[in-house]
Amino acid sequence: VLRNAVHVDEAEVEKCVRDVMKEKKIQQKDTGFKANLHISLLQISGYKKLYLNVENLRKVPYDSDNEDHEEQLIELWNLLMPHENLKARISKQWCDIGFQGDDPKTDFRGMGLLGLVNLVYFSKHYTDEARQILSRSNHPKLGYSYAIVGINLTEMAYSLLRNGALKSHLYNLVSGLPQMEHFHQFYCYLVYEFDKFWFEEEPESIMHFNQYREKFHEKIKGLLLDYDVVLTLQN
């Protein structure tokens, strides 16, 4: 019964709690135990469901014929560059916010739509911070490609979710079902902290990006080992 409990869907949690209490001969009137077990099972099943939702979004390729995809991309530009009009959909201007070429869709290949959704989320919910970090990313000596690094950090957040490293963080953050919103929030934390880390480390050049990215990754993994950890940006 206990082994099956960690694999239940949300709809089966209530029945599962009753079964566990019956099996372990715990009185139904022990409401404290019942409530805690209910929350724990919701968190466990919710984590798995969140991973599937994130994975499904990652599997959606960016499609320039999809109106919704295109609208999100233009929204990203408008959020980050409010005083500069995008002259054309295919444009060298995309490099100004850290894409590699004149059509950003090619940069979303690895993380699919998840990469774009994360970039837009950070720019929409932490607009001042996003513009500030974009400005810092244009530093003459310590600069980096804002959008490309953002997509790279989406991959980091995704891999930490996939291998279970985010469990303590999400379980401490949400007493119930973790949602996509909570994944986006963790991504925002990574973007903000990576920018601070990059400038503190003062790499010789962007050519050393992978080395410093790995160092940052190890730092985050270390923080996530704390059972009381909660890694969020405060609005």
Side-chain angles (χ1 to χ4, degrees):
V1 169
L2 287 170
R3 264 201 299 271
N4 291 339
V6 298
H7 301 293
V8 297
D9 290 328
E10 182 188 350
E12 300 167 338
V13 166
E14 191 62 49
K15 178 185 181 298
C16 192
V17 168
R18 288 198 301 271
D19 291 346
V20 169
M21 292 181 75
K22 182 181 175 185
E23 190 70 28
K24 302 299 287 182
K25 298 181 172 58
I26 297 164
Q27 296 295 317
Q28 289 292 330
K29 61 178 180 286
D30 188 347
T31 54
F33 178 87
K34 189 175 184 179
N36 287 335
L37 181 60
H38 192 270
I39 287 169
S40 297
L41 293 181
L42 277 180
Q43 289 176 322
I44 292 167
S45 64
Y47 190 95
K48 292 172 181 174
K49 189 175 178 183
L50 174 61
Y51 168 68
L52 290 175
N53 290 339
V54 168
E55 173 69 354
N56 287 337
L57 193 55
R58 187 189 71 84
K59 284 179 178 174
V60 177
Y62 185 91
D63 179 5
S64 50
D65 293 326
N66 185 309
E67 200 174 308
D68 178 54
H69 295 189
E70 288 286 288
E71 281 176 5
Q72 288 188 67
L73 185 59
I74 300 304
E75 183 180 15
L76 177 65
W77 175 269
N78 290 335
L79 284 164
L80 291 173
M81 305 289 276
H83 306 302
E84 189 176 328
N85 288 329
L86 188 64
K87 294 180 177 64
R89 167 60 181 80
I90 308 292
S91 167
K92 290 289 181 201
Q93 285 176 285
W94 289 113
C95 297
D96 295 344
I97 60 172
F99 286 103
Q100 286 180 318
D102 54 9
D103 189 351
K105 78 171 186 182
T106 58
D107 293 326
F108 293 119
R109 275 185 293 229
M111 284 291 109
L113 201 60
L114 182 65
L116 175 59
V117 170
N118 269 343
L119 282 168
V120 172
Y121 185 96
F122 181 59
S123 301
K124 186 185 285 186
H125 292 83
Y126 300 95
T127 310
D128 290 343
E129 290 86 349
R131 290 174 186 169
Q132 185 182 6
I133 291 172
L134 173 62
S135 175
R136 281 159 61 88
S137 75
N138 290 318
H139 189 281
K141 184 174 181 293
L142 298 172
Y144 58 84
S145 299
Y146 175 83
I148 294 296
V149 169
I151 294 168
N152 201 291
L153 292 171
T154 284
E155 194 281 326
M156 188 182 293
Y158 164 76
S159 67
L160 289 166
L161 179 72
R162 184 182 60 196
N163 67 24
L166 288 190
K167 283 181 180 176
S168 290
H169 160 72
L170 286 171
Y171 293 168
N172 291 332
L173 184 68
V174 193
S175 59
L177 293 165
Q179 305 291 335
M180 185 68 82
E181 173 98 1
H182 302 117
F183 177 78
H184 294 324
Q185 285 283 342
F186 177 69
Y187 166 80
C188 294
Y189 171 85
L190 288 184
V191 175
Y192 189 80
E193 290 299 318
F194 178 81
D195 179 71
K196 278 201 308 188
F197 172 84
W198 182 261
F199 278 88
E200 283 165 6
E201 292 285 329
E202 297 187 350
E204 291 170 38
S205 80
I206 193 66
M207 301 305 290
H208 298 285
F209 173 77
N210 286 340
Q211 173 191 337
Y212 285 93
R213 183 226 191 252
E214 197 47 44
K215 189 175 178 182
F216 179 70
H217 193 188
E218 290 302 318
K219 178 185 175 182
I220 297 299
K221 284 195 286 189
L223 293 173
L224 289 168
L225 290 174
D226 179 358
Y227 288 120
D228 297 321
V229 69
V230 178
L231 303 179
T232 57
L233 266 181
Q234 299 305 316
N235 240 334

